[in-house]
Amino acid sequence: MSETAAPLASAHSGTVVVAESTTARGRRARIALRALQVLLALFYGIASALPKLIAHPSAVEAFDKIGWGSGAMYTIGALELAGGVALLVPLLQSVAATALSALMVGAFLVQMTAFHGQNAATPLILIIPLALIAWARRGQNAELLRLVRRRA
């Protein structure tokens, strides 16, 4: 019996029945969550980090308008790339989603102040699936903490 299957005892026959709907639903939820993580990882790695890391003119222009320059552009691009990769590492998924959510709060504030709200909805929309991932994968935080404490 798989670890996600829940045995149910029948009161009349004394047999054990596996709750197939719970198992299938749980498996579908895990697959959907993993697909969401892959999509977000691709978004952060390709659509968001790459233009910053290759100094695409649109990214350079945006950071010049903010007044932060290329140092901040490369730093944020590296953080987005690291977060996107970490979304795919089982031990780091919850921490990565939390960190990327914090980065999106900053992006929202910048959009509201420097760009007068233009595209401000994008970071807010991204926070929703990131919060879901952080919550769903929160059980790995204890294992990560144990590993860090053991190495310290």
Side-chain angles (χ1 to χ4, degrees), residues 12-152:
H12 298 288
S13 65
T15 61
V16 175
V17 179
V18 176
E20 293 295 331
S21 62
T22 303
T23 302
R25 183 174 35 168
R27 184 168 187 265
R28 284 192 306 268
R30 284 191 310 277
I31 290 170
L33 185 63
R34 188 66 172 162
L36 180 62
Q37 288 174 238
V38 169
L39 287 173
L40 285 172
L42 288 171
F43 170 79
Y44 278 105
I46 296 170
S48 194
L50 186 62
K52 295 172 183 81
L53 295 174
I54 65 170
H56 189 273
S58 64
V60 172
E61 180 183 332
F63 277 85
D64 284 345
K65 184 172 182 180
I66 299 169
W68 289 1
S70 63
M73 179 181 68
Y74 291 125
T75 300
I76 292 172
L79 289 171
E80 290 174 339
L81 181 60
V85 170
L87 281 174
L88 302 175
V89 178
L91 200 56
L92 301 175
Q93 294 167 346
S94 180
V95 172
T98 302
L100 286 170
S101 293
L103 196 61
M104 291 301 98
V105 169
F108 171 74
L109 294 173
V110 168
Q111 293 294 330
M112 291 303 292
T113 57
F115 297 103
H116 310 293
Q118 182 181 359
N119 298 323
T122 303
L124 292 179
I125 292 168
L126 288 169
I127 287 174
I128 295 167
L130 288 168
L132 174 67
I133 292 166
W135 180 81
R137 303 295 192 195
R138 71 192 180 280
Q140 297 163 339
N141 291 341
E143 186 179 340
L144 178 61
L145 188 58
R146 273 193 302 276
L147 180 65
V148 169
R149 284 182 178 165
R150 192 173 358 152
R151 297 219 177 176

